[in-house]
Amino acid sequence: MEDTAITPSTNTPTSNAQASGGESVLKIWGKQPLQGQVKISGAKNSALVLMAGALLCGEDCRLRNVPSLADVERMGEILSALGVKLERHGDVLEIDSKHIGQSKAPYELVSQLRASFFVIGPLLARLGVARVPLPGGCAIGARPVDLHVRGLQAMGADVQIEHGTVNAYISGGKRRLQGAKIYLDVPSVGATETLMMAATLAEGETILENAAQEPEVVDLANFCRAMGAKIRGAGTNTIVIAGVPNLHSADYSIIPDRIEAGTFLMAGAATRSPITLTSVIPDHLAAVIAKLRVIGADVVEEGTNRLRVVPGVEYRATDIKTLPYPGFPTDLQAPIMTLLTLCEGDSVITETLFENRLGHVPELNRMGADIRVKGNHAIIRGVPFLSGAPVMATDLRASAALVLAGLAAEGMTTIQGLHHMDRGYDDLEGKLKGLGAKIQRVTLEEEPGAAPAVAAPEASLLTSP
Ligand code: EPZ
């Protein structure tokens, strides 16, 4: 990504397709063996929340290893609209939150990026007031924020939801939020992060019980501690934050994206290619590596921060249940489903976190997979091969599942709905091309013959998360 100052705009192209003015599709010629190594980018789900966390500090902050993603650009626009100055130099993001001009995040930007809700905790803690549009649901579920709201109320904020906007201010004549003991009904990643950020500047001690343990939560805690916050227990189910009056600047490097890494491990397994991943943290992938080994693809650590896929000859079916970390990550449920379509026997995937995260099933079935959905379970009967076809991505991780399917399938696959992919994968097709994949992004004008994919009916009702 070139050096740019990020300024609020509503027409920033968020993918090559929009940049080129027409919708683009991804064409993949399958059965190409992959080889070589790929460097994993910084974690999307760290970058987004750390950018919001920089609002807590009235001095310059520097984030390194920031991925080039449409969602990161959108978060930058939201911060700019609040008065934050941002400068991007390659994968380094300079953030100057000295002068936050206002406490209201613009609806037209928030509605494009759910993660923008993360600004509510820092704005409230820093300014004493925050007005953030309620993030709507998305393709994968209702995505409520009741735990965020109830936690802020427990810390002394008056929070009202009026006309689709969450209006919060510190009440009771207090200048700062008050430390509180908060039990989260579910170990919500977002709620844990919102409340941890709010608590860093509160008066007194906050204890978050049943907190999320994801690596991105730990990354946020480490970034806040680099700014002078007093946090302990991040990565366990109990996080203790002792509030301080203010935070100072920090220069912090974001962890690698474990979901991108898992996606590439599965790409290697699905195409039976011994590829190597660099800049990964193997511990973050323990559940994923364990499942790949059960299926029959080994994953070996080659020195620090390097993993290599050792594909197997026969793959065996297995059952997978998505769970909060350290369980199997819901964000890799769609990609591993693609691999399971090619395993001998019947597998069952149970999606326990989101109520509508099986949108990729009809599209995989168009490619010859044999998957039936019953409630939040997908029953996958292995088939000897997949066949290329025109398909439609319904959400971010579904797009990755379809790319993997295209790489493994016989013949050519065209994938529409690339705006989903561009939100959360940093140059996925460039990285795959670098590994030898035969993959090309073309605009529909260039491809008059591309029969537009007829998405499954429910897919067309979905909005992007
Ligand atoms: C984060 O979403 C990630 N997004 C998601 O990644 C990820 O799938 C999810 O955590 C689970 O790991 C970012 O970090 C930006 P949750 P989040 O709050 O915070 C319920 C991707 O593909 N819940 O842990 O929204 C909720 O309905 C994205 O990169 C409440 O009931 O997830 C869900 O069932 C998708 N009330 C469960 O908790 C609340 O107030 C887990 O959601 C909040 C959540």
Side-chain angles (χ1 to χ4, degrees), residues 44-45 143-147 188-190 331 353-354 357 397:
K44 166 180 86 80
N45 291 346
R143 313 293 296 274
V145 290
D146 56 310
L147 298 178
S188 155
V189 171
D331 295 348
L353 278 95
F354 293 111
R357 201 169 201 176
R397 304 306 174 180

Side-chain angles (χ1 to χ4, degrees), residues 77-123:
E77 289 169 21
I78 286 155
L79 295 182
S80 301
L82 294 170
V84 175
K85 291 189 179 58
L86 299 106
E87 288 257 326
R88 177 139 199 180
H89 313 281
D91 71 355
V92 176
L93 188 58
E94 311 282 357
I95 305 176
D96 169 3
S97 302
K98 285 190 204 71
H99 310 290
I100 302 178
Q102 63 145 310
S103 60
K104 180 166 175 45
Y107 173 75
E108 68 280 1
L109 294 175
V110 170
S111 60
Q112 294 180 54
L113 174 64
R114 302 192 72 269
S116 45
F117 194 70
F118 281 137
V119 303
I120 193 167
L123 281 178

